[in-house]
Amino acid sequence: MGRGKLRIYLGAAPGVGKTYAMLSEAHRRVERGTDAVVGFVEHHNRPRTEVMLHGLEEVPRREIAYRGTAFTEMDIDAVLARRPAVVLVDELAHTNVPGSRNTKRWQDVEELLQAGIDVVSTVNIQHLESLGDVVESITGVRQQETVPDEVVRRADQIELVDMSPQALRRRMAHGNIYKPDKVDAALSNYFRPGNLTALRELALLWTADRVDEYLRQYRTEHSVSTIWHARERIVVGLTGGPEGRTLIRRAARMAAKGSGSEILAVYIARSDGLTSASPKELAVQRTLVEDLGGTFHHVIGDDVPASLLEFARGVNATQIVLGSSRRKTWQYIFGPGVGQTVARDSGPDLDVHIVTHEEVAKGRGLPVSRGARLGRGRIAAGWLVGVVGPALLSLLLTHIGPDLGLANDMLLFLCMTVAAALLGGLLPALASAAFGSLLLNYYFVEPLHQWTITDPKNIVAIAIFVFVAVAVASTVDLAARRTHQAARLRAESEILSFLAGSVLRGDTSLEALLERVRETFAMESVALLERASEVDPWTCAASVVTSSGKPLLRPEDADVDMPVGDNMALALSGRVLPAEDRRVLAAFAAQAAVVLDRQRLVGEAERARRLDEGNRIRVALLAAVSHDLRTPLAAIKAAVTSLRSDDVAWSEEDEAELLASIEDGADRLDHLVGNLLDMSRLQTGTVTPLIREIDLDEVVPMALGGVPEGSVTLDIPESLPMVAVDPGLLERSVANVVENAVKYSPGGTPVHVAASALGDRVEVRVADRGPGVPDSAKDRIFEPFQRYGDAPRGAGVGLGLAVARGFAEAMGGTLAAEDTPGGGMTMVLTLRAAAGVAPVRADLPAQATT
């Protein structure tokens, strides 16, 4: 009897529709003739879920008494006796009532699977055991009921039931998930938009990881070997080979262990060739490292280990990740390799990680091309082979080897000349040809041990040898030069292509571009200098300076300067660049000028936008002054004129009414002018909050002085932690929000002001039962001089909410609009709890933990 198959519907939070989806699947299977029964499904009095149970056979539950109360659990024995093909078991992470056969429901499911019965179940992402700490940090709630990750990972099918946070909150507000008396608490605590968004992301990422496992399993089963596509700074050394992606992912896992870690992938383009690097693979690796939040750097350097270490120290790196060498064993005779050299020279301040991969010891593919710019070691080796080699060969042939004949001797000496050309270039090869011809004449041409040649045939043979040796050496050296030129042009084209693409996309700042110049040319400092005219002094538009460099103020102070137009120059210090490097430098200089122009255009556009915003505010202010400010002034003027009139004898009641009208107009005028002054302070950036710790119940009641008595109900628990705010700004912000809510709330329906705490945040929620605001207008109502809908004239200039949000953000808080369950709008003011106060954990509704 085989093991049954497990299918799991995974959700981000309660109410997304997991149970509904499971029951729908059961109906589909029953319609196809499958014997499917319900082992345990809890509908939580949700009408639509309860309807889905109709037409499905339910196995009677087992009743268990615990502490004087009767509970029901799934009857495993009854399910095993019924022995259906498929059984539905809801809430996989549920803890069974004491007295049950198994402690956890997932253990019941394992028993059913062992019996060969297929199981369809549900679970929320927050119930996975490995995510407990993460979920607690997001929601402030510690999940008591969990299921081991391995149980879920072993499922044959996992289907994600997804729903946007906004849609889920609407379902909640409509009463489709919890009872009405629990909706407000759930929406303001566990089911906050931020919580739901984070949980949704966890579910999506976990499901994506599970997809990767399925793919790896498929590749293993089908023998697919080909590739299918605290402040730590980790540098990843790339060679352009296929192992680069492994190194990048390994570095990403290392970075994930520390908060704020950075990944910097660097490719050192050797000037003696790029034949071992695949441009396509480099492009893939660049995309991968950028997708993982890192950066890609392309640096030119003849000495790869030294260039890598110089780059790592230049960026203040703490770790270097390299791959195990792809060279074969015999290739180590040419040197220890990059990895060993970097590990040896890294010093105590850099950790070097050598990561194994599938390409270890498989060879580097195409051999590295050899160029004309050779290091001192290569040149010395060429001279050694070209001069000492022929002498040793002569000694070997005259004293040890047999007589091979003049033709064979010449071929051996020719091989030595070719080797000298390959190692040291043209000059060692020419020396080898000349020296070899003399040795051939002295030791192998009659008469022996003399510098004369008697046989004319031997003269021709020696001449042919010299000609062939020089021709071969020249050909090898020419090929090396062409290879070097092609490699350099290829490196330049890749750098310029990447540079142009990044600049055209607008994702490169001027400082980042100059840093790229410094890295590419291994400079100490780089600066973009400009002046207004020929007689004006130079000014620095931007610069990048290392710890060993000094700022550049004039092109004359630089080792290299590249003019850009008439009044701009790119200056570099650190070393003198060869002429062939200036072509690439000129392209960098031109791009730097383009970036500078773009930044200035962006700045001008921002200034124009601010001027336009200011002009719009001035126009709106004039409109407000022309009507909204004149209205209370007109009322005050009329009342005062009436009181001063000698023609009418006013009664005491009439005088009191006129005085009340004057006072009311003055209050409205004071409120309007106050909001205008506050908005002016916000627009000019002169709001400086004085943050101190205070209790909400000391501030919020004072903010209600401007609203009619009985129009607001207040619920501020004494257990709330203190908040870090500016009391004056908080009072103004709450007052504006409450006055706005009272203005739109229907008569006889008070506005509800409540406060609650969640983690390190404290919320003040102001809920009204007015007409509400559609989602498309929720952000617009916080703009200055905005009044939604048919607000009556004279009801304000539309600054209250704009001022309230500005003050909230100035204190480090937020102000947002949400729908009130049952109709209306709720303003949510979020504030920071005072430091040193223990976070308050919100209670999760009972259904969310089952």
Side-chain angles (χ1 to χ4, degrees):
M1 178 177 58
R3 176 182 171 88
K5 296 184 179 299
L6 175 61
R7 176 169 184 162
I8 293 178
Y9 286 92
L10 177 68
V16 297
K18 303 180 303 300
T19 305
Y20 190 93
M22 178 181 66
L23 293 173
S24 299
E25 174 66 18
H27 280 286
R28 286 193 294 270
R29 296 197 182 196
V30 170
E31 291 174 0
R32 294 195 299 264
T34 304
D35 184 16
V37 302
V38 176
F40 188 95
V41 170
E42 184 60 63
H43 54 73
H44 297 298
N45 296 321
R46 298 169 187 168
R48 297 187 179 183
T49 305
E50 187 175 4
V51 169
M52 292 297 294
L53 285 169
H54 298 167
L56 296 177
E57 178 184 349
E58 295 189 54
V59 177
R61 301 182 185 181
R62 179 187 177 192
E63 189 172 297
I64 302 174
Y66 178 67
R67 293 183 178 180
T69 305
F71 298 90
T72 60
E73 295 287 359
M74 181 174 62
D75 193 337
I76 302 179
D77 293 329
V79 175
L80 293 174
R82 171 63 176 77
R83 199 163 183 79
V86 180
V87 61
L88 309 183
V89 181
D90 203 7
E91 299 173 351
L92 187 64
H94 172 74
T95 301
N96 291 330
V97 176
S100 303
R101 179 188 302 183
N102 298 309
T103 305
K104 293 286 190 175
R105 184 165 292 165
W106 64 263
Q107 295 171 329
D108 297 339
V109 169
E110 281 293 315
E111 193 170 337
L112 295 175
L113 294 173
Q114 291 294 339
I117 301 174
D118 293 346
V119 178
V120 182
S121 188
T122 65
V123 71
N124 284 326
I125 192 68
Q126 66 264 29
H127 294 302
L128 295 182
E129 201 167 69
S130 65
L131 300 178
D133 294 337
V134 179
V135 173
E136 183 180 12
S137 66
I138 294 171
T139 65
V141 177
R142 183 69 181 184
Q143 298 296 327
Q144 302 300 322
E145 295 184 327
T146 60
V147 58
D149 289 45
E150 185 60 27
V151 173
V152 182
R153 289 185 182 274
R154 284 201 306 265
D156 299 274
Q157 295 183 58
I158 298 177
E159 182 171 335
L160 179 65
V161 181
D162 189 29
M163 179 177 289
S164 68
Q166 294 79 9
L168 182 57
R169 285 174 58 84
R170 281 197 297 268
R171 290 193 62 192
M172 176 76 69
H174 294 159
N176 294 333
I177 301 177
Y178 294 147
K179 294 180 179 180
D181 58 340
K182 296 183 178 180
V183 169
D184 286 342
L187 287 175
S188 61
N189 293 289
Y190 192 84
F191 287 84
R192 296 157 53 91
N195 292 356
L196 296 178
T197 301
L199 292 174
R200 187 188 189 196
E201 182 180 16
L202 280 178
L204 291 170
L205 292 175
W206 195 93
T207 307
D209 181 62
R210 179 58 176 156
V211 171
D212 288 338
E213 291 183 16
Y214 278 131
L215 181 58
R216 287 194 293 269
Q217 180 181 355
Y218 176 85
R219 294 179 61 189
T220 302
E221 293 175 352
H222 293 78
S223 301
V224 179
S225 58
T226 58
I227 296 175
W228 293 357
H229 308 86
R231 190 170 182 83
E232 293 279 351
R233 282 189 172 91
I234 304 174
V235 171
V236 185
L238 302 178
T239 65
E243 78 281 1
R245 283 178 271 183
T246 301
L247 303 183
I248 293 171
R249 293 190 181 100
R250 183 70 182 89
R253 292 196 296 272
M254 294 168 58
K257 297 179 181 179
S259 176
S261 299
E262 291 183 47
I263 306 174
L264 301 94
V266 57
Y267 173 70
I268 308 295
R270 298 184 61 171
S271 62
D272 61 352
L274 286 176
T275 54
S276 64
S278 167
K280 182 179 179 180
E281 184 64 27
L282 280 177
V284 172
Q285 292 173 15
R286 179 188 292 117
T287 302
L288 175 60
V289 72
E290 290 175 350
D291 289 343
L292 293 173
T295 56
F296 184 91
H297 303 265
H298 195 143
V299 178
I300 297 177
D302 291 331
D303 189 343
V304 174
S307 299
L308 182 60
L309 287 172
E310 183 179 359
F311 174 84
R313 293 191 175 102
V315 299
N316 196 27
T318 57
Q319 302 180 57
I320 297 178
V321 176
L322 299 173
S324 297
S325 179
R326 289 187 283 133
R327 297 192 297 177
K328 295 183 181 294
T329 304
W330 63 268
Q331 292 177 312
Y332 282 93
I333 63 176
F334 298 108
V338 174
Q340 295 184 26
T341 304
V342 171
R344 181 193 63 200
D345 299 337
S346 61
D349 55 341
L350 272 173
D351 296 334
V352 180
H353 304 268
I354 306 297
V355 179
T356 59
H357 48 84
E358 295 180 351
E359 304 297 323
V360 173
K362 290 185 178 180
R364 297 180 62 87
L366 295 175
V368 177
S369 63
R370 307 186 181 276
R373 275 193 176 180
L374 306 174
R376 295 180 179 179
R378 287 278 300 280
I379 295 176
W383 281 102
L384 184 65
V385 172
V387 177
V388 179
L392 294 177
L393 182 59
S394 299
L395 181 64
L396 178 65
L397 294 176
T398 56
H399 294 85
I400 301 175
D403 186 7
L404 301 177
L406 182 59
N408 291 327
D409 293 338
M410 287 184 177
L411 290 175
L412 291 175
F413 277 90
L414 183 61
C415 290
M416 201 63 64
T417 301
V418 173
L422 292 173
L423 288 173
L426 182 60
L427 292 180
L430 294 178
S432 177
F435 187 44
S437 63
L438 294 176
L439 293 177
L440 281 170
N441 181 17
Y442 190 79
Y443 287 104
F444 304 102
V445 177
E446 296 292 342
L448 299 178
H449 306 299
Q450 295 183 18
W451 300 109
T452 60
I453 302 174
T454 57
D455 189 349
K457 295 180 180 180
N458 292 335
I459 295 177
V460 175
I462 292 295
I464 293 174
F465 165 76
V466 174
F467 174 77
V468 172
V470 172
V472 171
S474 301
T475 302
V476 171
D477 184 71
L478 181 61
R481 289 178 183 274
R482 293 293 182 265
T483 302
H484 166 73
Q485 292 172 0
R488 181 172 185 82
L489 290 173
R490 186 175 178 180
E492 290 179 1
S493 65
E494 287 190 2
I495 291 175
L496 295 176
S497 175
F498 176 76
L499 173 65
S502 61
V503 172
L504 290 174
R505 291 192 302 268
D507 56 0
T508 301
S509 65
L510 186 56
E511 289 73 15
L513 181 62
L514 296 184
E515 177 64 23
R516 177 80 60 173
V517 175
R518 191 197 65 78
E519 292 174 356
T520 301
F521 297 102
M523 289 295 183
E524 294 177 353
S525 59
V526 180
L528 183 63
L529 307 175
E530 67 171 341
R531 56 184 176 181
S533 65
E534 294 290 342
V535 297
D536 292 327
W538 290 94
T539 58
C540 182
S543 65
V544 175
V545 183
T546 63
S547 58
S548 58
K550 60 180 181 179
L552 295 173
L553 302 178
R554 299 180 305 168
E556 294 80 5
D557 299 333
D559 295 317
V560 182
D561 69 282
M562 177 61 63
V564 186
D566 296 332
N567 300 312
M568 193 175 295
L570 184 64
L572 302 88
S573 69
R575 64 187 179 95
V576 178
L577 290 180
E580 57 188 354
D581 285 341
R582 294 181 68 86
R583 181 172 61 254
V584 179
L585 183 60
F588 272 109
Q591 295 289 15
V594 171
V595 173
L596 179 60
D597 289 341
R598 176 184 285 119
Q599 289 184 351
R600 288 174 174 172
L601 289 174
V602 171
E604 291 177 2
E606 177 63 20
R607 287 191 293 272
R609 188 195 64 79
R610 291 180 179 177
L611 289 174
D612 181 69
E613 178 70 16
N615 184 63
R616 189 178 68 84
I617 291 179
R618 281 192 293 271
V619 172
L621 179 59
L622 290 174
V625 170
S626 66
H627 186 281
D628 294 289
L629 292 180
R630 290 178 61 188
T631 300
L633 283 175
I636 295 174
K637 176 67 174 176
V640 171
T641 301
S642 299
L643 288 174
R644 296 188 60 185
S645 175
D646 297 331
D647 299 337
V648 181
W650 300 102
S651 64
E652 293 184 359
E653 291 80 3
D654 292 336
E655 290 182 354
E657 185 177 350
L658 290 172
L659 291 174
S661 176
I662 294 173
E663 183 179 14
D664 179 65
D667 289 341
R668 289 172 56 191
L669 190 60
D670 178 69
H671 183 266
L672 292 174
V673 173
N675 276 337
L676 289 172
L677 293 176
D678 290 339
M679 179 52 59
S680 175
R681 293 168 60 199
L682 289 172
Q683 291 290 333
T684 57
T686 58
V687 176
T688 304
L690 302 177
I691 304 298
R692 65 183 182 90
E693 299 179 1
I694 193 171
D695 287 319
L696 278 179
D697 55 8
E698 296 181 26
V699 179
V700 175
M702 298 173 60
L704 307 182
V707 297
E709 186 177 354
S711 61
V712 177
T713 60
L714 196 59
D715 181 14
I716 308 293
E718 297 181 357
S719 60
L720 285 179
M722 300 176 74
V723 291
V725 297
D726 182 315
L729 297 184
L730 177 59
E731 180 182 346
R732 293 289 298 154
S733 183
V734 174
N736 283 349
V737 171
V738 172
E739 289 172 7
N740 183 79
V742 171
K743 179 170 57 181
Y744 286 98
S745 189
T749 305
V751 172
H752 184 61
V753 179
S756 60
L758 180 64
D760 59 350
R761 303 180 297 271
V762 176
E763 283 188 350
V764 178
R765 305 179 70 88
V766 180
D768 64 60
R769 293 294 179 180
V773 174
D775 293 340
S776 59
K778 280 188 171 60
D779 287 331
R780 196 167 65 247
I781 61 176
F782 292 101
E783 296 178 3
F785 303 103
Q786 294 292 323
R787 295 188 298 179
Y788 179 75
D790 55 350
R793 299 295 294 178
V797 294
L799 285 176
L801 294 183
V803 170
R805 171 175 275 190
F807 284 169
E809 293 176 350
M811 295 183 293
T814 61
L815 179 63
E818 298 179 359
D819 291 331
T820 302
M825 187 170 64
T826 298
M827 290 291 175
V828 183
L829 176 61
T830 304
L831 305 170
R832 293 182 291 111
V837 179
V840 177
R841 298 187 178 182
D843 295 329
L844 185 68
Q847 291 92 330
T849 62
T850 58

